Amino acid sequence: MKTVLITLAALVSAQSLAAQSLLILSKGDRTLAIVDPASLKVLGKVPVGPDPHEVIASSDGRYAYVSNYGGGAYNTLALIDLVNQKALTPIDLGPLRGPHGLTFVGGKTWFTAEAAKAIARYDPAAKKVDWILGTGQNRTHMIWVSEDMTHVYTTNVASATVTIIEKRPPVNPGPPPGAPPGGPPPGATGGRPPGGRGGPMGPPGGDWNETVIPVGRGSEGFDVRPDGKEIWVANAGDGTVSIINLASKQVSDTLQANVPGANRLKFRPDGKLVFISSLGNAGIAVLDAETHKEIKRFEARGCAGIEMQPDGSRVYVACTASNYVAVIDPKTLNITARIDAGPQPDGMAWCPRVQ
């Protein structure tokens, strides 16, 4: 009886641990590590192809997508079966070279393509890219998409800008020229087809407005404040942080944050703290989101990806140059552990469920 109880307890524990995972890319050995956040142990590793930079999981936790970047040399997304921990056939993006930033919204994978100066969307069900939009900006790098898919934000590193992209409401111009007031005559075949301009959904893919906002040099990592009112942008070239007011679509403040080489910026889920990593020697800076003042600085070299545990209990920072991921307690602001996920860790993502 005792043996049975122990076995059942172990099974329950294993199921609990499998309910969530932290995904960590290693650029050094080109792998994706699947990490148990309870024990911080690596459960498995999967090859992901050349120059992996960013990773995102599907909403059901069954698949991961990894951008093979190469500064425009590559044009693939690595596709990982997380359930069976194996690599599947990479996704060929054709002319959309230099994929980098990733997010998964509405059952689809959204990504940036630096060399194409564009953002695009991959539909896993149709197994094809079903939407592309040009930004006209240099090195369109990171991407954020609203849950209703009507707003997209990107940073453009070499142009020192942020692009705010908003879906326009559909426009119906009325009946075609020559049609009677009540509509086309019976049997008429003229006019635009359903879904064309003037149809119920507007043009294919919809019309979009783009607002380009100048920020600091080397605008790269950014995050949307949890209340949805601001975008905070880390500027690697200036070592500053630009704060964009989303109502006015203008920079409302520029913080002299002293983070040269700033790479990523993330809010704590409650919106009270901001964490900034630096690929240089500026370490990891922690700012108070209300006062805009620095409250902590961790000494670390060459830091890149930042991932928040959804419940806010941990912050993970990839210390790329030191070959480990730092685990930070956001309440005490102490480093409590280190994860060895492979050399040169970088992009990370939270996997909600693996089954």
Side-chain angles (χ1 to χ4, degrees):
M1 182 65 176
K2 184 177 180 180
T3 303
V4 172
L5 290 175
I6 292 174
T7 303
L8 287 174
L11 178 60
V12 170
S13 176
Q15 289 175 337
S16 175
L17 295 181
Q20 53 188 3
S21 300
L22 176 67
L23 307 179
I24 304 174
L25 287 176
S26 165
K27 292 195 291 189
D29 61 11
R30 301 179 177 184
T31 59
L32 175 68
I34 302 170
V35 177
D36 171 14
S39 65
L40 301 180
K41 301 297 184 184
V42 175
L43 302 176
K45 287 189 175 185
V46 185
V48 291
D51 199 28
H53 271 239
E54 297 297 319
V55 58
I56 196 71
S58 60
S59 55
D60 62 4
R62 298 185 64 83
Y63 298 98
Y65 300 84
V66 175
S67 53
N68 299 124
Y69 175 56
Y74 306 119
N75 66 334
T76 56
L77 296 179
L79 178 60
I80 307 302
D81 178 342
L82 292 172
V83 176
N84 298 298
Q85 297 187 16
K86 67 177 183 179
L88 303 176
T89 303
I91 299 165
D92 188 336
L93 301 175
L96 296 170
R97 307 195 75 86
H100 190 273
L102 295 167
T103 190
F104 193 89
V105 179
K108 300 182 181 184
T109 302
W110 304 64
F111 61 95
T112 62
E114 276 195 7
K117 298 185 180 182
I119 59 176
R121 184 178 65 193
Y122 174 78
D123 183 347
K127 296 185 178 180
K128 67 177 183 180
V129 173
D130 68 352
W131 181 83
I132 303 170
L133 184 70
T135 64
Q137 300 294 295
N138 296 331
R139 291 195 62 201
T140 298
H141 199 66
M142 302 299 289
I143 186 170
W144 179 94
V145 179
S146 64
E147 288 300 317
D148 63 3
M149 298 175 286
T150 61
H151 291 74
V152 182
Y153 307 144
T154 71
T155 43
N156 310 293
V157 182
S159 291
T161 60
V162 167
T163 305
I164 293 178
I165 304 165
E166 301 168 288
K167 194 165 188 177
R168 291 176 53 188
V171 177
N172 191 328
T189 58
R192 299 180 184 272
R197 185 176 294 275
M201 296 305 293
D207 261 349
W208 298 78
N209 288 334
E210 296 189 40
T211 303
V212 178
I213 303 171
V215 288
R217 293 183 303 116
S219 51
E220 188 169 342
F222 78 99
D223 201 5
V224 178
R225 192 165 180 162
D227 63 11
K229 294 181 180 180
E230 296 174 338
I231 299 174
W232 287 42
V233 186
N235 305 311
D238 293 343
T240 62
V241 173
S242 298
I243 300 177
I244 298 172
N245 181 300
L246 283 169
S248 65
K249 298 177 189 172
Q250 294 180 340
V251 173
S252 60
D253 201 357
T254 299
L255 310 184
Q256 301 302 316
N258 188 28
V259 281
N263 186 250
R264 297 289 176 265
L265 179 152
K266 291 287 184 181
F267 279 93
R268 197 170 70 180
D270 63 8
K272 294 182 179 180
L273 297 181
V274 176
F275 291 75
I276 307 169
S277 62
S278 167
L279 280 174
N281 295 317
I284 305 164
V286 185
L287 307 185
D288 184 302
E290 292 301 324
T291 66
H292 299 174
K293 302 297 183 182
E294 180 179 314
I295 58 175
K296 180 83 173 188
R297 177 88 53 152
F298 297 92
E299 291 187 8
R301 296 186 305 112
C303 298
I306 304 175
E307 185 62 28
M308 296 286 166
Q309 194 150 320
D311 63 5
S313 62
R314 283 174 174 162
V315 183
Y316 303 90
V317 181
C319 299
T320 308
S322 300
N323 299 319
Y324 65 84
V325 173
V327 182
I328 300 173
D329 183 327
K331 292 182 179 179
T332 65
L333 293 181
N334 291 320
I335 294 178
T336 59
R338 295 180 178 183
I339 303 172
D340 179 4
Q344 296 181 291
D346 190 1
M348 293 181 285
W350 193 257
C351 182
R353 179 162 52 99
V354 176
Q355 62 178 11

